Amino acid sequence: MSKRLRSSLDAVIIGAGVVGAACAYFAGRAGLTVAVVDRGPVAGGTTGAGEGNLLVSDKEPGPELDLALLSVRLWRELATVLPPDMEYETKGGLVVAPDAATLKALRAYAESQGAAGVEAAEIEGEALRELEPHLADGLAGGFHYPQDAQIQPARAAARLLAASGASVHLGEEVTAILRTPSGAVRGVRTARRELTAPAVVNAAGTWGGAVAALAGVELPVRPRRGFVLVTEPLPRVVRHKVYAADYIADVASGSAALQSSAVVEGTPAGPVLIGATRERVGFDRSLSVEALRRLASQAAALFPVLADVRVLRAYHGFRPYLPDHLPAIGPDPRVPGLHHACGHEGAGIGLAPATGLLVAAALTGEQPPMDRSPFRPERFGGGGADAGAGCCPGDDLGHGSGPGGGLACGSGPGHGSDYDPAPDPASGPRETAP
C-alpha cells in the first residue's frame, strides 16, 4: 500500500548518482531538508560505469570549462572533509601529439585555455618519458595539465550522500511527478510512497529526458555508449591520465558514428583502464568487437608495453548526451518547482560539485557562484510529454562482459577480478569508463 509522506521536505532529488548526490550534499549544506529517490542502488547507472575523470584539459574556453574549473576547486575541498577511500588523486593529465602539426594546434588550444584559468605546460617530445617512461617513441610532444585529477566515482557518490543528511529511498522508481492545480510541482510518487515537496530535481542522468516527460516538458537527453578495456593488475606503468590529442575532438563531436581515441590510465589497484569510444546507438547493450579492437590497437600504439598484457574484461555504459554538449542545470520555467541537473555526457563526475552548488543556490534563492544561463533547461524549446522518446526508463545500464586476451594476442578471461562496472560504493575499487 502506498504511503503518503506529508513531511517537511524542501526538495526531492531523482537520481542517486554522483550528480544527484552532489545536489543533496550542497542542498543539505545550505540548510535544506531533501530526499533522494532512485529505482536502483547508489551509483547504479552512469556513475557506476564512469572513470572518475575530473578534467579541465579536454574542455575549450566557455561555460563548460568555467563549470569544470569551479568543480576542480570544490573536489579539492571535498577531498579534505570526506573519507579518503574516494581515491582522490591529483595525478594530472598528459595530452600527447603524434606530429608537429597536431602539437601546434594543441599549443593554440592550451593558450586559449590559459586565458580562462587552466594551467598547462608544454612538454617537448624527448621529455615526455620523464613523465611517462613507457610512452611510445617518436611523439612530437604534449601538454601536462596539473589540475586534472581522478576519483572513485561510486564511492564519491556514496560519501556525498552520507554526508548530505538526506533521506534516501533506493529501489523505488518515480512513476509520477505530482502537480498542483496551477501546474506547480508538489512532489513525486513511487510504487511505495508519495514524497511531497515544493521542488523536484531531475538528476536522472541518461534517463533525464524520461523524467522530464513525467512533468510534461521536453529535454532531449540521449544515451551515448562507451566501452572500456580493463587489464590485469600491473605495476604503475601509467602515471597520469594520458590521451591522444584527437580525444578532444571526439568529445566535442556530435556524430552518432563510432569514434575512438586512446585514453589510458593506471589505477591504485593495479589494472590499467583503456578508453574511449563514443557512439549513439540508443540503449543497445551488445558487445562491439570493432570498438574493442580499436581501443586495444590505439592503446598499444601509445604504450607499447601494453601490447602483450592480458585484458581481464571489457564493459560499457551510457553517457547522458544533450545536442549542444552542455548539461541542463537549474529551474525549468515551464513547470514551477522543477529543476534539472542532467545531460553532462562524459563529464558528470567532474562537473558534479559545481552542478550541486548551482542547484542549491536555485533552491534557496541565493546568488549562484557563476552564470547558469548557458545551462538553462528550456533552451531546447518544446514542452510535449513525449520528451522521453528513446530514453526508456526501463532500460538498465549495459554492463558488457568482454573477452579475455592480450591487447595483441591474449590469454584467458578475467573472471573473478574484483573490478566491477558498478562497484559497491562502500568498498569497490575504481573501474570505469571515460
Side-chain angles (χ1 to χ4, degrees), residues 48-355:
E51 192 169 2
N53 288 335
L54 315 179
L55 301 183
V56 298
S57 58
D58 63 343
K59 296 170 181 64
E60 64 184 15
E64 187 185 29
L65 179 56
D66 295 340
L67 197 66
L69 287 166
L70 174 58
S71 266
V72 163
R73 176 175 62 80
L74 292 172
W75 273 122
R76 192 179 302 119
E77 294 172 2
L78 288 167
T80 67
V81 297
L82 296 177
D85 66 352
M86 296 191 308
E87 297 181 13
Y88 175 74
E89 291 186 274
T90 55
K91 60 171 135 183
L94 183 62
V95 186
V96 298
D99 52 50
T102 304
L103 183 60
K104 181 179 178 180
L106 194 57
R107 186 179 299 119
Y109 180 76
E111 288 174 356
S112 69
Q113 291 175 309
V118 174
E119 300 170 26
E122 183 168 356
I123 311 296
E124 295 183 355
E126 59 271 20
L128 285 173
R129 286 199 171 183
E130 295 177 14
L131 295 176
E132 290 290 346
H134 298 287
L135 267 174
D137 292 326
L139 294 168
F143 277 80
H144 176 234
Y145 286 84
Q147 291 161 299
D148 283 356
Q150 202 80 18
I151 206 160
Q152 208 285 355
R155 288 182 186 165
R159 300 310 178 222
L160 284 166
L161 269 183
S164 72
S167 58
V168 181
H169 306 277
L170 302 177
E172 298 188 32
E173 182 174 353
V174 171
T175 58
I177 292 179
L178 307 176
R179 310 273 291 276
T180 67
S182 66
V185 160
R186 66 176 184 86
V188 305
R189 178 183 297 121
T190 75
R192 297 176 59 185
R193 72 190 81 235
E194 286 186 2
L195 295 165
T196 59
V200 169
V201 179
N202 171 16
T206 310
W207 299 275
V211 170
L214 292 177
V217 297
E218 182 178 1
L219 193 64
V221 181
R222 298 292 182 264
R224 201 176 186 192
R225 188 173 69 179
F227 284 89
V228 165
L229 299 177
V230 185
T231 76
E232 62 183 312
L234 301 170
R236 200 65 182 257
V237 297
V238 183
R239 300 175 179 179
H240 301 79
K241 176 84 174 183
V242 183
Y243 61 88
D246 55 357
Y247 172 75
I248 296 169
D250 285 356
V251 170
S253 171
S255 173
L258 174 63
Q259 298 171 303
S260 67
S261 51
V263 181
V264 185
E265 68 162 321
T267 64
V272 172
L273 308 181
I274 299 167
T277 66
R278 281 173 162 76
E279 57 186 331
R280 295 210 312 275
V281 291
F283 283 103
D284 181 356
R285 289 172 285 183
S286 60
L287 193 69
S288 170
V289 175
E290 174 60 18
L292 302 186
R293 184 195 65 76
R294 289 193 195 181
L295 290 180
S297 174
Q298 291 168 341
L302 195 58
F303 284 93
V305 68
L306 297 177
D308 296 318
V309 168
R310 287 189 308 136
V311 172
L312 296 187
R313 62 186 296 138
Y315 70 91
H316 60 272
F318 299 99
R319 306 174 185 87
Y321 166 90
L322 279 168
D324 62 0
H325 299 280
L326 293 177
I329 304 173
D332 192 325
R334 298 169 293 183
V335 178
L338 178 65
H339 299 250
H340 299 281
C342 59
H344 298 76
E345 200 172 334
I349 295 158
L351 301 179
T355 298

Side-chain angles (χ1 to χ4, degrees), residues 9-14 33-37 187-188 195-197 199-202:
L9 290 174
D10 296 303
V12 176
I13 297 168
I14 303 172
T33 302
V34 302
V36 176
V37 186
V188 305
L195 295 165
T196 59
V200 169
V201 179
N202 171 16

